[in-house]
Structures are given as C-alpha cells and as structure tokens.
Amino acid sequence: MWVERLFQDLCGHVMAMTNLPAGAAAGFMDREIRSGEGWSERLGSVLASCRVFVPLFSPRYFASEMCGKEWYAFEQRAIHHRARSNQPAEAIVPALWVPVPPSQLPGPAERLQFNHRDFGDRYVSDGLYGLIKLRLFAQEYERAVYELAKRIVNVADTVRLDSGRPFDYRLVPSAFGPPDSGVGAPRPMRITIAAPTRHDLPEGRNPEYYGDNPQEWNPYHPAAARPLAYVAEELVRSLNYQAVITSFDEGPGQPEGKQSPSTPEILVVDRWALEDEDRRRRLAAFDAENRPWVTMVVPWCREDHQSRASEAALIEKLEQTMPVKMRQGRAFCRAAAKGVPSMEAFGQVLPQVVEVAAQQYLRHATAYPPAGGRHSERTRLMGPMGSTQFIPDMHDPAMDAEDV
C-alpha cells in the first residue's frame, strides 16, 4: 500500500514536469510477487527499453536475487552505451525506502555517485517508509518525493540509453553476487590482457586497434570507442567483484600452478599477441601450469578484415600454444576461447566465464565465505522511460509476517 502511494505520487509529479499527454502512463509498476520463477514479458521488455531505473534501497532489497538480476539487466545497457560512445551514462536513481548502512551496500550500489542529503536530513535518517508512515513528517515526505521526481526527469532528459534485447532471467546473474554470498565487500577478480601495443605489432598489422599499452587494445573498433579492458572491468564490477586490470607482459611471472591461487582471473588474449615468439613461449608456459581458476576469452572481431584473412593460421597457433585453456571448462568457456565476435557477445559470455573462474578459485584456494542467508523477494522501484516517460517498477508491497 505504501509503495503504491509513493508510485502514484511520483507519477503525478512526473506528469506535471513533462509534456506527457493526459492519460498517458507516466510509470510502470510491477505488482506481481515472485519467488524466483522469473519476470513477466512486460517486465523484461521494460528492462530492455527503460531510461531510468529507481531501486528502493533497503536491507531486504539487497538480499533479493531477483532484484539483483533486474539491476544487472538494466546496468548492461549503460555499460554497452559507454563502450560504444565512451560517454558517461548513469541512469540509476536510487531512493532510500529504509536507511541502509554503507557496510551492507554491494559494490554496484556503493559506487553510485548520489547525494541523498539533497532530499532532506529526515529522509536520510528515516527513509521514505518512515516519512510516509508518520503524519508528523508529511512535509518532509512531500519534499523528498518532489526532489526524487525532479532527479528522475533530469536523468531522463540528459541520458539516452539505447534499447536492448530482453534478457532471459534464467541466464541473468545478480548484480549483488551469488545467492549464498551475502551482501558485503566486492570479491577480487583479476583481468589480464595479453595483447601487443602499437609499438610492437607484427609487421603489417593495422595499429588502429591498439594503444600505448596492452590495456588500450580495442578489438571491436570502430563499433566500440572504449578499450576492451575497461569494458571488461565494468562488466566484472557489475557482478559485485573488485576488478584489477593487469598486462600479461608485466605480470609477476611467478607460477601459481603448484600453490594456492591468489585470486580468480580472466585472461583476455589477442591472437596477434602470439606472433611475438617470446610472448608465445610465456603463454605456453602459463598454459602448462594448468590453472583452472584462470578462464580464457579470445575477442575476435568479425569486422576486422585483416584478422579474418589470417584467422586459420592464428587459430592454429593459439591451439598449439595453449591447448589446455582451449579445451578447459564448460562448453561456453571453450566457445569463449575459440573467438568472441562482437562487443554484445563479449558482454553475454563474460559473466559465465567469471562464474567458472570464481568457482574454480574457491575449489583450489582456502576460502572463508561470509555467513548469512538471503530472502527470495524484495520490493523495488524501476524507472523506464520512452521519450520523456518515467516508468518505475516495483513489487506489490503486500507484506507477509516477516516483512512486518
């Protein structure tokens, strides 16, 4: 009931602040309660097309796997927008339903640059639930909702995310981490780039895909404007990991195959890197150490005509150099090692290989996972937009005994 009132109040303000025609839907509210079976076609379509996402922060929200999946589905559109344009695209506007201690915020929420105090001190101390429940705070509630609506409209007017394809909820990971991980500090994940620079390319190789260091390699140029390492970093961070980017050429060089691993790792390999004999020898030695907590991804742009012309020879060289990694892991890991043809495909496969790396790391390293359970479903707001529309989404807040 209380979230329904908030939804209606927000929609009323947004209608007054925009040129939406009378009778148009200013928002979308998901009234269904689910216990893990997934989202409706309408919700999937909204996540793929909305322009603003408004999560209602509360401890229960961050304990919900489904809410984490929705956050992740929306955030992927912002990540790919930044990859294509190299421009900022922050379209998540958080609202405090119940105050949440910073220690309980997962990485994706903690990293949001948002000043809640702009909505009032009482809002920060009591949240919207406290303000809406007590008549004493009616004025503070009206101010907070009005300021929230202004922020939503401003973001809708300034950030234009491209629409995407609806996600299959069964394949979507949670932005808050695995269901049994608990909410806390992001886990470490290393991203290692094995690629040449524009200064040490094989003879005749087009330099427009490379930069001054391996981390600036951009295999999906010109469709992508950002180097792949930084896109991978964002994708990994969106899964509640703390990503560390390194270069294979500048790595510590100490074998981990005979000892406990220090962190799970994604090895991103440019096949052209194997044209350097010294690097090829070091990659072969790395492969021989058999590090199952390192999963390999090989970006291979189908629009790169020079790479397509040399594809057969370069594939053969990689298979001879790194036979273990080429055949290791599940089917999608092997597919990732055989070549990822586009930025969109890279975004789809990376969460899966990250999961495998994390699982293998826990299998081979001493780990102490945090204690604590998770609930199955939490209230949340989601704000999609068409043109100037605000479309929040939330679960029906009908509360069970545990909620009360």
Side-chain angles (χ1 to χ4, degrees):
M1 179 181 67
W2 300 113
V3 180
E4 169 74 22
R5 177 183 164 186
L6 170 62
F7 171 75
Q8 296 299 339
D9 290 343
L10 276 173
C11 288
H13 285 309
V14 170
M15 287 291 290
M17 296 176 186
T18 63
N19 61 354
L20 285 172
F28 172 80
M29 178 176 175
D30 180 22
R31 293 175 172 83
E32 297 182 33
I33 295 179
R34 302 180 185 85
S35 56
E37 76 275 14
W39 46 53
S40 65
E41 289 186 9
R42 173 64 175 140
L43 178 53
S45 175
V46 164
L47 284 166
S49 60
C50 63
R51 282 168 50 191
V52 182
F53 184 89
V54 184
L56 276 183
F57 281 15
S58 73
R60 289 171 58 79
Y61 177 87
F62 293 116
S64 167
E65 181 183 13
M66 187 59 66
C67 293
K69 285 172 174 277
E70 292 169 3
W71 184 308
Y72 178 86
F74 179 82
E75 179 62 13
Q76 298 318 291
R77 292 174 49 218
I79 291 174
H80 287 294
H81 177 91
R82 289 188 288 269
R84 289 188 292 267
S85 66
N86 204 23
Q87 297 295 320
E90 185 52 73
I92 296 179
V93 178
L96 297 179
W97 183 248
V98 176
V100 181
S103 62
Q104 293 186 20
L105 291 176
E110 186 180 22
R111 286 189 293 269
L112 288 177
Q113 300 296 315
F114 195 88
N115 186 6
H116 291 284
R117 293 205 173 274
D118 289 347
F119 296 176
D121 292 339
R122 182 64 67 178
Y123 166 80
V124 173
S125 63
D126 292 83
L128 287 166
Y129 178 71
L131 300 185
I132 200 173
K133 283 281 289 182
L134 300 177
R135 294 181 182 177
L136 176 66
F137 301 142
Q139 186 174 352
E140 286 87 348
Y141 169 76
E142 293 295 340
R143 174 192 171 185
V145 176
Y146 178 72
E147 294 295 337
L148 179 60
K150 285 203 303 182
R151 188 71 60 90
I152 290 167
V153 171
N154 177 260
V155 170
D157 287 340
T158 56
V159 178
R160 300 296 177 119
L161 298 182
D162 295 332
S163 297
R165 296 180 180 179
F167 279 87
D168 182 341
Y169 82 92
R170 294 168 297 181
L171 303 178
V172 176
S174 169
F176 310 148
D180 57 351
S181 65
V183 176
R187 303 149 291 167
M189 177 70 64
R190 180 180 295 133
I191 303 170
T192 301
I193 307 297
T197 72
R198 64 161 59 103
H199 308 295
D200 61 355
L201 289 174
E203 184 176 357
R205 174 60 174 146
N206 189 340
E208 66 183 4
Y209 297 97
Y210 300 90
D212 292 330
N213 58 64
Q215 292 90 325
E216 294 181 358
W217 172 46
N218 184 3
Y220 300 118
H221 170 82
R226 296 192 74 197
L228 187 66
Y230 304 115
V231 178
E233 179 185 31
E234 280 202 81
L235 289 166
V236 167
R237 289 172 65 185
S238 74
L239 295 164
N240 200 28
Y241 285 92
Q242 183 62 51
V244 178
I245 303 176
T246 62
S247 164
F248 181 80
D249 291 344
E250 299 173 357
Q254 298 299 323
E256 284 190 341
K258 303 297 183 180
Q259 61 188 27
S260 181
S262 59
T263 182
E265 182 175 352
I266 307 299
L267 177 64
V268 185
V269 177
D270 178 11
R271 291 172 182 158
W272 288 99
L274 278 72
E275 295 295 278
D276 180 270
E277 288 303 319
D278 177 67
R279 188 185 293 115
R280 182 182 179 186
R281 175 186 56 78
R282 288 185 288 109
L283 282 168
F286 182 95
D287 187 70
E289 291 168 7
N290 188 23
R291 309 184 194 194
W293 54 90
V294 180
T295 53
M296 185 170 72
V297 182
V298 180
W300 191 251
C301 181
R302 55 190 168 205
E303 304 302 326
D304 181 347
H305 302 294
Q306 190 177 49
S307 291
R308 282 167 49 186
S310 304
E311 185 169 11
L314 291 173
I315 288 176
E316 182 180 4
K317 185 169 288 188
L318 181 59
E319 289 179 340
Q320 292 174 353
T321 303
M322 307 188 74
V324 175
K325 285 290 169 228
M326 290 295 293
R327 295 166 177 78
Q328 194 175 65
R330 304 175 190 173
F332 54 77
C333 289
R334 296 191 294 273
K338 291 182 181 297
V340 183
S342 67
M343 179 63 74
E344 288 71 21
F346 184 83
Q348 292 169 4
V349 75
L350 195 66
Q352 302 177 69
V353 298
V354 164
E355 179 185 4
V356 170
Q359 291 175 348
Q360 290 295 330
Y361 170 73
L362 292 177
R363 189 172 299 172
H364 291 84
T366 302
Y368 302 93
R374 298 171 72 92
H375 302 289
S376 61
E377 202 49 67
R378 306 294 179 265
T379 302
R380 83 275 185 220
L381 273 169
M382 180 174 55
M385 292 268 188
S387 63
T388 58
Q389 292 180 325
F390 160 57
I391 311 175
D393 153 57
M394 66 197 83
H395 286 136
D396 185 334
M399 292 186 176
D400 56 21
E402 182 182 22
D403 294 318
V404 175

